[in-house]
Amino acid sequence: MVGGYEHNLLIGEEIHYFQSGTNVKKHILPNGPGYVTVESSPHTGKDHGECIPGKRLLSPSGFYYQDQWVSTSCNIQHYYTHESITNCLRGKNVYIFGDSTIRQWFEYLTEFLPGLRKFDLGNSQKTGPHLALDIDNKIKVEYYAHGKPIRIAPIATQDLPFVANKLDEIKGGRSTIIAFTIWCHFNTFPVEPYIRRVQNIRRSILRLLDRSPDTLVVIKTANVQALPRDVSLYNSDWYSYQLDLVMRKMFEGINVAFVDAWEMTIAHYLPHNLHPERVIIKNEVDVFLSYVCPLKKR
């Protein structure tokens, strides 16, 4: 379950083909001014309707203006106060499944909301599972790492459920919110195991929506990441994107919502990072909450 990687794979003259600043990560200097001027777009403030599941994911799915994500498919609500998020999540049970890139959502919510207190289950921050409760506002948020393959610190198999199995245990309903992602721990495997895993999740979601149509299911896509020399030998954004295309196609036509983390990370000026900085995570959570509490017409 927890494995390492082979190191020092380059031998002989091969090292000369992977030199940072020489033929890897070599900056391309501009011919003209080394900056761009960003102006307000005609799409800024345009009414794109409510953020509801089942909407087609457009490309480009949005853009940043003054560090705020503007969607091209629905009206995004930006949450600046803990009161606004608490009002949105009041009475909700939120289940978050996946890897550390969506665990950041759990961490953002528990850090930002003073009333949402993390209940100590004795698990490490990286492994989980985690539980947070706001008793007064009847908010429950749970996080589970997806089933193996996964590269984290040692964890009991009982704490590492397969997403499909966990979904089958959830009753669902209007007060139930499901958010999940699954991609980066499959980057070192052929695509076939990933397809089978996502197929199983798809079947479970269809069963969930069949018994409880009012359940909201939100899928976070893959995101770009930093690729230092060692990582680039066994991983790539190109392969992550292939997995992402599989997932998007798998859930096409189903009543689910997407948070397009791929475009939200590639469009931001911050350096690529497997775990995006807080400003990006805030925008991802804002999009997520915009599906939980759709913003009416402006």
Side-chain angles (χ1 to χ4, degrees):
M1 180 171 59
V2 181
Y5 300 106
E6 292 287 339
H7 294 281
N8 302 318
L9 298 177
L10 302 177
I11 58 175
E13 297 296 317
E14 292 176 347
I15 191 68
H16 297 299
Y17 295 99
F18 297 92
Q19 299 181 78
S20 180
T22 301
N23 47 27
V24 175
K25 293 191 174 180
K26 178 71 173 176
H27 290 290
I28 301 175
L29 300 177
N31 288 328
Y35 61 89
V36 294
T37 301
V38 178
E39 298 179 352
S40 180
S41 166
H43 294 283
T44 304
K46 184 177 180 181
D47 180 25
H48 295 290
E50 297 180 26
C51 293
I52 55 175
K55 274 196 170 186
R56 181 169 169 263
L57 193 59
L58 303 176
S59 184
S61 60
F63 58 92
Y64 284 103
Y65 182 67
Q66 296 180 343
D67 264 345
Q68 292 185 348
W69 183 252
V70 181
S71 172
T72 55
S73 60
C74 67
N75 299 332
I76 300 299
Q77 171 76 24
H78 293 285
Y79 294 83
Y80 299 105
T81 65
H82 57 81
E83 291 89 354
S84 61
I85 297 181
T86 298
N87 289 336
C88 178
L89 293 179
R90 183 173 289 112
K92 299 291 194 301
N93 297 318
V94 182
Y95 298 88
I96 301 176
F97 302 101
D99 53 47
S100 55
T101 67
I102 201 169
R103 191 187 71 227
Q104 290 181 274
W105 292 12
F106 179 90
E107 293 165 352
Y108 176 85
L109 290 172
T110 53
E111 291 169 5
F112 189 72
L113 300 181
L116 186 63
R117 298 184 178 181
K118 189 175 176 180
F119 188 83
D120 187 3
L121 299 176
N123 303 320
S124 74
Q125 178 183 353
K126 291 185 177 181
T127 60
H130 296 309
L131 169 66
L133 299 170
D134 182 338
I135 302 298
D136 294 337
N137 293 289
K138 300 180 180 179
I139 300 171
K140 180 176 72 171
V141 184
E142 298 181 57
Y143 165 77
Y144 296 89
H146 64 68
K148 57 185 179 183
I150 197 162
R151 298 182 297 276
I152 54 178
I155 178 175
T157 55
Q158 293 87 347
D159 292 333
L160 203 62
F162 289 105
V163 177
N165 293 345
K166 200 68 180 175
L167 289 172
D168 286 336
E169 298 174 1
I170 296 174
K171 179 181 178 181
R174 188 179 298 276
S175 64
T176 301
I177 314 297
I178 308 293
F180 79 90
T181 193
I182 182 168
W183 62 280
C184 66
H185 293 274
F186 285 80
N187 277 354
T188 50
F189 294 86
V191 71
E192 288 80 8
Y194 181 75
I195 292 174
R196 289 194 294 270
R197 183 65 59 84
V198 179
Q199 281 177 327
N200 288 333
I201 295 174
R202 181 183 188 274
R203 295 187 187 103
S204 292
I205 286 177
L206 288 175
R207 290 193 291 268
L208 174 61
L209 293 177
D210 184 56
R211 63 181 178 268
S212 302
D214 291 337
T215 306
L216 174 62
V217 178
V218 180
I219 302 173
K220 174 194 165 298
T221 72
N223 55 259
V224 294
Q225 60 181 301
L227 294 168
R229 187 176 67 181
D230 288 347
V231 176
S232 65
L233 293 177
Y234 59 79
N235 206 342
S236 74
D237 280 339
W238 179 87
Y239 191 66
S240 297
Y241 189 57
Q242 306 315 303
L243 299 183
D244 201 50
L245 290 176
V246 168
M247 184 171 66
R248 293 171 190 243
K249 192 67 177 178
M250 191 71 69
F251 290 97
E252 192 175 79
I254 299 179
N255 199 36
V256 298
F258 283 93
V259 174
D260 196 345
W262 186 269
E263 294 204 4
M264 294 180 74
T265 50
I266 205 170
H268 203 274
Y269 58 81
L270 285 173
H272 293 176
N273 191 336
L274 176 62
H275 301 110
E277 298 295 332
R278 187 180 178 89
V279 62
I280 298 176
I281 296 301
K282 180 202 180 302
N283 279 284
E284 290 179 1
V285 173
D286 282 353
V287 176
F288 164 64
L289 293 174
S290 294
Y291 284 102
V292 179
C293 303
L295 181 64
K296 305 298 182 181
K297 287 186 177 181
R298 295 188 175 100

